[in-house]
Amino acid sequence: MTLDIAKLVPSLDSRILLKVEGLRKYYRATANRFRRNRGLIHAVDGIDFEVAKDESLGLVGESGCGKTTTGKLLVRLIDPTAGRILLNPGQQQPTDIATLKGKPLKAFRRKVQIIFQDPYESMNPRRTIFDTVAEPLKVQKMGGTLEHLDRVSHMLELVGLTPPSTFLFRYPHELSGGQRQRVAIARALIVEPAFVVADEPTSMLDVSIRTGVMRLMEELAARLGIGYLYITHDLAVARYVCDRIAVMYLGKIVEVGETEELLQRPKHPYTQALLSAVPVPDPTFTRPPVRIKGGVSVPVDPPDQCRFYSRCPLADDFCRDNPHPPLEDKGAGQLAACYKA
């Protein structure tokens, strides 16, 4: 099925699956007795990045930085305030996802899917595993009941729920957390998408089964040719599954680079602070103190300066008097939004 829209954008590099340009999402802040001027929450504020075919891009940062909002924008669960999201699956021209409505938007959902963070909340407890995994096929009108049964059984086998016949007509409460997350992965992949947003898919699982789920996602990406945006706050997880990492702070992407290069030689002060908080399994290791100041700023009508200015140990008057720095090449393929890096 092709996307029948009139507005097409210029072709992308054939290696690029998804390209984000100037993506923004603002919310109106809730007024209360202490704040009459509500202002705008800058949840996502002008971000740019690319995801290549068969690539896994990790999006990391602390809670509230805009990671999940970015993921929801990419699958159009929420509408962007501004910006473009260009999808380039197969040989067809890239489509600006941000402008889709109606039938084209429904057709687009075959190409992009999401795996939610909480497998306990993302399934209807009154529906069987077969109904849960087959629902996207029914919505997209892909085959009849017998074909649905075959495809669901095959997908359950792919995600490690074997034999499938023992899982098809069970309910979510009869499965463990790891099994439920495997069902969530099967549901996302059943329509053969080109791109998947994985929103912390292992954070609700026991440590003992996280590696198995991460390895499964890697194997399925290689087998099915899927690109991932892997949202996580855990740098160890990002290192395990991601080819590149983008670091997000208060709605802005502040650094992007190849995984090992970024983790070994971070350029941005915020990335350095994140890495300094990662525990080291060595009781004799002494970690240098974290140099950043204060707590997380409030993203309501932020001033036109570097988002990290109030906490940055390198900040000076130039940082205060100039707008948030753009992502610039700092060498070795790393991009950082910092005047002093």
Side-chain angles (χ1 to χ4, degrees), residues 261-276:
E261 187 67 27
L262 184 142
L263 295 179
Q264 296 297 329
R265 285 169 286 277
K267 305 297 184 184
H268 197 280
Y270 177 64
T271 309
Q272 295 168 5
L274 279 182
L275 288 168
S276 71

Side-chain angles (χ1 to χ4, degrees), residues 116-132:
F116 293 100
Q117 177 178 358
D118 189 352
Y120 300 91
E121 297 293 335
S122 63
M123 296 181 196
N124 188 331
R126 295 180 176 84
R127 307 194 73 180
T128 65
I129 301 307
F130 170 75
D131 291 333
T132 297

Side-chain angles (χ1 to χ4, degrees), residues 131-199:
D131 291 333
T132 297
V133 179
E135 183 176 15
L137 298 174
K138 296 175 182 177
V139 171
Q140 296 291 341
K141 295 182 172 58
M142 299 171 63
T145 303
L146 291 179
E147 184 179 348
H148 292 174
L149 184 60
D150 288 341
R151 296 186 66 164
V152 171
S153 297
H154 176 65
M155 187 55 65
L156 291 181
E157 191 168 359
L158 274 183
V159 300
L161 296 177
T162 55
S165 57
T166 63
F167 291 92
L168 283 171
F169 302 107
R170 295 167 69 179
Y171 289 87
H173 73 271
E174 299 178 272
L175 275 58
S176 68
Q179 290 172 333
R180 270 191 284 253
Q181 195 61 291
R182 289 170 188 265
V183 171
I185 294 172
R187 176 176 58 184
L189 301 184
I190 192 72
V191 291
E192 301 177 355
F195 180 71
V196 173
V197 174
D199 187 4

Side-chain angles (χ1 to χ4, degrees), residues 5-12 19 21 84-88 92-99:
I5 62 172
K7 183 178 180 181
L8 294 173
V9 295
S11 60
L12 294 177
K19 183 179 178 68
E21 297 179 343
R84 297 201 303 175
I85 308 166
L86 307 180
L87 182 66
N88 185 32
Q92 63 189 36
Q93 288 182 282
T95 304
D96 187 357
I97 297 169
T99 64

Side-chain angles (χ1 to χ4, degrees), residues 17-18 51 74 87 111-113 193-197 226-229:
L17 175 62
L18 189 85
V51 181
L74 297 187
L87 182 66
K111 302 297 183 183
V112 176
Q113 289 288 307
F195 180 71
V196 173
V197 174
I226 297 169
Y228 279 119
L229 179 73

